[in-house]
Amino acid sequence: MLLEQLTALLARTDITLTEQQKQQLVDYVGLLDKWNKAYNLTSVRDPQEMMIKHIMDSLVVAPHLSGKNYIDVGTGPGLPGIVLAIALPDTQFVLLDSLGKRVRFLTQVKHALGLENVTPVQSRVEEYQPSVKLDGVLSRAFASLQDMVQWCGHLVDDESRFLALKGQFPQQELDSLPAGVTLERDISLQVPELDGERHLIILKKD
């Protein structure tokens, strides 16, 4: 049922996935549903709702990632990092979270789905030092843009970007950005079956 739902949702986007990728996403929802009962990873309880609010909501970002190394800060149960890692197998994703139970879940997902391009890390973002140059810092429902820039500034140079998934266009947050960081692009995202606005906010250091 979930596979049919995912296939129908994908048909309403420009995103193309292999049968294996689709199965991995379905299996990920299964793991999320199973572990959620004990670990309380997400407030969304229904797997079909997860498919829209978590999977599709993360997948629509995939066409806008062009680099090869990203970090998903405050990844929680792997959103959007796990979803993007499945959709973009040639791109590396560090999944960072400060809570051990979430990182244990992510480690389980990595092994269960055979994801070679995922590195779960338990750390506070301010203390994390990447081993490779990052193309971008991703966040979804993690923090305000000001906090993201402040906490993740050491991860980004002139060539890499901050990428924040937001609901409504965050004008107030953009108005409060510190000097030296500007809005490069605002991409309006269309998520099938999801009500409300979705934006991918791309910030750069001047």
Side-chain angles (χ1 to χ4, degrees):
M1 186 191 286
L2 287 176
L3 190 57
E4 289 170 16
Q5 180 195 13
L6 176 59
T7 301
L9 289 166
L10 284 169
R12 296 168 60 181
T13 72
D14 294 332
I15 299 166
T16 307
L17 298 179
T18 64
E19 291 306 313
Q20 183 192 1
Q21 287 170 312
K22 287 194 275 189
Q23 189 59 54
Q24 283 176 313
L25 289 169
V26 168
D27 291 345
Y28 172 52
V29 169
L31 288 165
L32 199 49
D33 182 45
K34 179 182 166 188
W35 281 61
N36 205 29
K37 293 173 176 68
Y39 275 45
N40 200 25
L41 298 165
T42 167
S43 59
V44 180
R45 299 290 176 198
D46 176 43
Q48 286 185 288
E49 213 179 323
M50 286 179 189
M51 196 59 82
I52 297 163
K53 291 185 174 175
H54 290 334
I55 305 304
M56 294 306 299
D57 191 52
S58 298
L59 263 184
V60 291
V61 177
H64 306 291
L65 300 188
S66 54
K68 287 298 170 199
N69 287 288
Y70 288 90
I71 184 169
D72 178 12
V73 294
T75 186
L79 300 164
I82 289 285
V83 178
L84 293 172
I86 291 170
L88 303 167
D90 295 331
T91 304
Q92 296 293 322
F93 291 90
V94 172
L95 308 184
L96 192 81
D97 204 277
S98 59
L99 270 188
K101 68 176 184 178
R102 291 181 187 147
V103 176
R104 282 193 293 278
F105 170 70
L106 294 170
T107 304
Q108 177 65 32
V109 169
K110 174 186 168 117
H111 293 310
L113 303 185
L115 298 176
E116 299 293 330
N117 58 334
V118 161
T119 306
V121 175
Q122 183 180 351
S123 172
R124 289 170 57 83
V125 66
E126 304 96 312
E127 295 160 6
Y128 179 72
Q129 292 297 333
S131 56
V132 295
K133 184 183 172 315
L134 297 169
D135 294 298
V137 175
L138 290 155
S139 85
R140 176 183 184 266
F142 166 59
S144 69
L145 294 176
Q146 301 96 298
D147 287 345
M148 183 187 182
V149 167
Q150 187 180 343
W151 297 337
C152 306
H154 64 291
L155 302 173
V156 175
D157 63 17
D158 296 346
E159 293 167 14
S160 43
R161 299 290 182 261
F162 299 99
L163 301 105
L165 275 93
K166 293 286 181 180
Q168 291 181 315
F169 184 73
Q171 187 61 59
Q172 214 169 351
E173 292 181 30
L174 288 166
D175 291 342
S176 306
L177 282 176
V181 178
T182 53
L183 174 66
E184 181 177 68
R185 280 183 77 193
D186 160 42
I187 300 169
S188 188
L189 301 170
Q190 305 301 319
V191 184
E193 302 284 331
L194 192 66
D195 294 330
E197 292 177 54
R198 297 302 280 155
H199 291 267
L200 177 62
I201 302 295
I202 303 178
L203 306 176
K204 63 171 184 149
K205 282 186 173 179
D206 293 339

